[in-house]
Amino acid sequence: MSANTPIVTEMQVIPVAGYDSMEMTLSGAHAPYFTRNLVIIKDSSGHTGIGEIHGGDYTYECLTSCIPLVVGQEVGKYRSILGCIHRGGKQAAGDDGEGIQTLDISKLKFVVKAEWAIECALLDLLGQHLGIPVCELLAEGKQRDQVEVLGYLFYVSDKNKTDLPYLDESQSRDPWFRMRRQEMISHEQIVEQACCLQDKYGYRNFKLKGGVFSGDYEMDTVRALKKQFPQGRINIDPNGAWSLEEAIRLCRGMGSILSYIEDPCGPEAGFSSREIMAEFKNATGLLVATNMIATNWRQFYHAAALKAVDIVLADPHFWGLEGSLRMAALLNDWGLTWGSHSNNHFDITLTTFAHVAAAAPGSPTALDTHWIWQDGQNLLKDTPVIKNGYLEVPDRPGLGVTLDMDQVMEANKLYNRMPSHDRDDAMAMQYLIPGWIYDSKKPCLVR
Ligand code: GKR
Ligand code: MG
């Protein structure tokens, strides 16, 4: 029988790198470069489908090992293709199954599943074949034309304290581009960061990445943000750095300032992070979001049983595009909330998130995106726009965007010049504190 949908004729994996600021988190300080892997799939109709995912050699190798399972297959059977990849997958050496309960970034690669970039590229092809946008192929179809995104604020260290090749944008004509490569550590500077982002992208809601200074200092920054944006939804994410006792002390009475809190505490004293977060919720009554304690269905079972979370940030790169939306449907039926976590990424991920969030039933919380820290280094000719705090959802067939191959090959050259391709936030941090090593219970500047 002849195929009814196009056949995959070629699959390419192209590793790429881009520039970053010296943003600080519990894991340390972002290095001058971040890496990603791109998947480019061509089909017998002459269409090209694209996907982007986590960087590094491990993910690159997972993706290239999938090529024989994809080439020659029918685009319309993408679920069977992914099923075949899953059945062939083995637990990787070094993956203890613990996930990222403690934000050990060396384990992030195991939580991200490389094949979701393949899912994205195949959906892009199927959408082009059918003449409809990807969001129409997902869940219950398109729910909205634009999706709300939040302003992702970071404390940024002074790159001049290192001899690392961070980008200097001090001469840029764009006020945000000038600002984002400079040191920002005071409450006033974080408020200025938020104001600048509001001017450029129209954000009214913000998330502050915590786990850098003491919890008391970071809560003062949160209070300063709320003072500046009284109508804004303000959230802080210390990635589980605080003890339960400290988290309760810091958050009690913050109900009118924090709209929710993300991963305030983690595992301690023999209790899992799910048990600790449930106790935190009981003590404070605050809404809690996570991208650390429910990163797969087994973890989610326990998190839900304990009522440990209200908002699951179901990143499509952890859960798959379909999987993330299965979560969105379930949360919506249960009266809980869906959102998405992010890492540094290019505009292909931005587009993917736009389609997934466009199809999410209910009222998703404003999505995370790091892309504002990368804006300008685009790999697409038609990057979706963030305006008035909302990300546009392309309405052309498939993902509705076109790769800029010149830019992709430039980003690939940068990747090939890097001595190592895995994320290492300790390296830059050691310029600030000699001998610095990661501790899941200590904000990175508290040593
Ligand atoms: O970019 O350093 C970062 C973030 O801290 C990232 O690694 C987290 O995974 O943004 C993420 C989060 O919400 O936890
Ligand atoms: Mg988080």
Side-chain angles (χ1 to χ4, degrees):
M1 208 173 78
S2 64
N4 292 316
T5 57
I7 301 289
V8 174
T9 53
E10 189 188 330
M11 170 171 154
Q12 251 184 303
V13 184
I14 305 187
V16 287
Y19 295 94
D20 202 1
S21 304
M22 199 173 168
E23 296 145 50
M24 288 180 287
T25 77
L26 184 67
S27 315
H30 285 200
Y33 309 119
F34 71 100
T35 61
R36 302 290 281 174
N37 280 293
L38 306 186
V39 169
I40 305 181
I41 303 184
K42 297 202 167 139
D43 73 16
S44 52
S45 301
H47 291 137
T48 301
I50 53 177
E52 175 193 336
I53 199 140
H54 198 74
D57 297 329
Y58 170 81
T59 304
Y60 176 78
E61 277 151 29
C62 291
L63 285 168
T64 47
S65 73
C66 294
I67 294 176
L69 302 174
V70 180
V71 174
Q73 302 300 318
E74 205 184 314
V75 169
K77 294 190 181 159
Y78 71 95
R79 286 173 193 262
S80 295
I81 302 175
L82 291 166
C84 190
I85 293 173
H86 289 150
R87 282 191 299 278
K90 289 191 238 37
Q91 184 139 357
D95 181 3
D96 56 14
E98 197 194 292
I100 48 167
Q101 279 192 80
T102 58
L103 200 73
D104 177 348
I105 51 173
S106 64
K107 291 192 183 147
L108 191 60
K109 58 179 179 261
F110 302 128
V111 178
V112 169
K113 300 277 177 287
E115 60 267 30
W116 303 136
I118 301 175
E119 180 193 25
C120 182
L122 290 171
L123 281 165
D124 187 9
L125 287 174
L126 187 60
Q128 292 178 61
H129 170 70
L130 296 171
I132 53 176
V134 163
C135 56
E136 290 292 4
L137 293 169
L138 297 168
E140 291 168 34
K142 188 177 190 177
Q143 311 287 306
R144 53 193 69 80
D145 295 328
Q146 49 176 14
V147 301
E148 189 170 10
V149 280
L150 51 71
Y152 200 158
L153 311 173
F154 280 84
Y155 295 108
V156 180
S157 184
D158 180 2
K159 62 180 180 339
N160 301 320
K161 291 186 176 149
T162 77
D163 55 8
L164 298 170
Y166 286 100
L167 208 59
D168 185 310
E169 291 189 291
S170 53
Q171 301 307 312
S172 171
R173 292 225 296 268
D174 184 306
W176 166 238
F177 291 4
R178 280 202 301 278
M179 177 180 276
R180 67 185 173 177
R181 307 299 177 210
Q182 291 169 11
E183 182 182 48
M184 288 178 273
I185 51 173
S186 68
H187 311 312
E188 296 72 24
Q189 286 168 324
I190 297 296
V191 170
E192 281 169 32
Q193 187 183 124
C195 291
C196 190
L197 289 172
Q198 183 178 52
D199 287 347
K200 185 167 171 69
Y201 304 102
Y203 289 128
R204 280 150 300 154
N205 302 318
F206 298 95
K207 156 175 167 175
L208 174 65
K209 174 56 62 178
V212 176
F213 293 99
S214 71
D216 290 291
Y217 182 88
E218 293 182 354
M219 280 306 192
D220 283 341
T221 306
V222 165
R223 280 185 271 270
L225 285 165
K226 187 67 180 175
K227 197 164 169 217
Q228 180 71 28
F229 298 96
Q231 308 305 325
R233 287 168 62 79
I234 312 291
N235 156 34
I236 178 169
D237 175 13
N239 283 113
W242 304 333
S243 68
L244 176 62
E245 193 188 345
E246 185 181 19
I248 294 172
R249 177 181 68 73
L250 291 170
C251 295
R252 256 205 190 118
M254 289 290 282
S256 59
I257 295 176
L258 287 169
S259 50
Y260 61 91
I261 180 144
E262 190 171 321
D263 290 309
C265 19
E268 68 181 50
F271 295 94
S272 83
S273 48
R274 287 163 280 275
E275 292 161 333
I276 295 293
M277 292 261 272
E279 290 188 29
F280 171 84
K281 267 176 62 63
N282 289 341
T284 61
L286 279 180
L287 294 177
V288 169
T290 189
N291 61 273
M292 295 174 72
I293 69 163
T295 62
N296 59 40
W297 292 105
R298 183 174 167 201
Q299 291 178 3
F300 178 66
Y301 168 77
H302 294 289
L306 289 166
K307 298 198 173 146
V309 291
D310 306 279
I311 303 170
V312 179
L313 303 171
D315 186 332
H317 293 155
F318 294 3
W319 296 83
L321 281 67
E322 270 298 341
S324 175
L325 287 168
R326 248 195 288 151
M327 175 62 84
L330 190 76
L331 293 170
N332 189 41
D333 285 347
W334 289 0
L336 300 173
T337 303
W338 177 89
S340 181
H341 150 270
S342 95
N343 275 119
N344 284 115
H345 60 87
F346 285 105
D347 43 349
I348 304 159
T349 290
L350 187 74
T351 314
T352 308
F353 281 23
H355 282 280
V356 173
S363 306
T365 191
L367 299 196
D368 282 24
T369 172
H370 283 59
W371 176 79
I372 52 174
W373 297 88
Q374 271 77 58
D375 185 0
Q377 309 176 47
N378 296 329
L379 302 184
L380 296 172
K381 291 183 176 158
D382 38 16
T383 304
V385 171
I386 299 176
K387 205 170 147 193
N388 297 327
Y390 284 82
L391 169 64
E392 143 198 41
V393 183
D395 61 1
R396 294 172 294 280
L399 285 177
V401 287
T402 314
L403 266 188
D404 182 334
M405 276 316 285
D406 292 340
Q407 290 298 109
V408 169
M409 293 330 292
E410 276 305 307
N412 173 254
K413 271 192 212 148
L414 181 60
Y415 180 93
N416 288 332
R417 286 204 297 272
M418 291 171 64
S420 156
H421 303 133
D422 288 322
R423 179 169 163 187
D424 176 4
D425 290 18
M427 187 264 301
M429 198 63 210
Q430 284 163 358
Y431 284 84
L432 305 179
I433 300 178
W436 184 93
I437 48 170
Y438 168 74
D439 181 334
S440 67
K441 286 289 163 204
K442 282 195 186 140
C444 71
L445 286 175
V446 178
R447 287 294 185 273

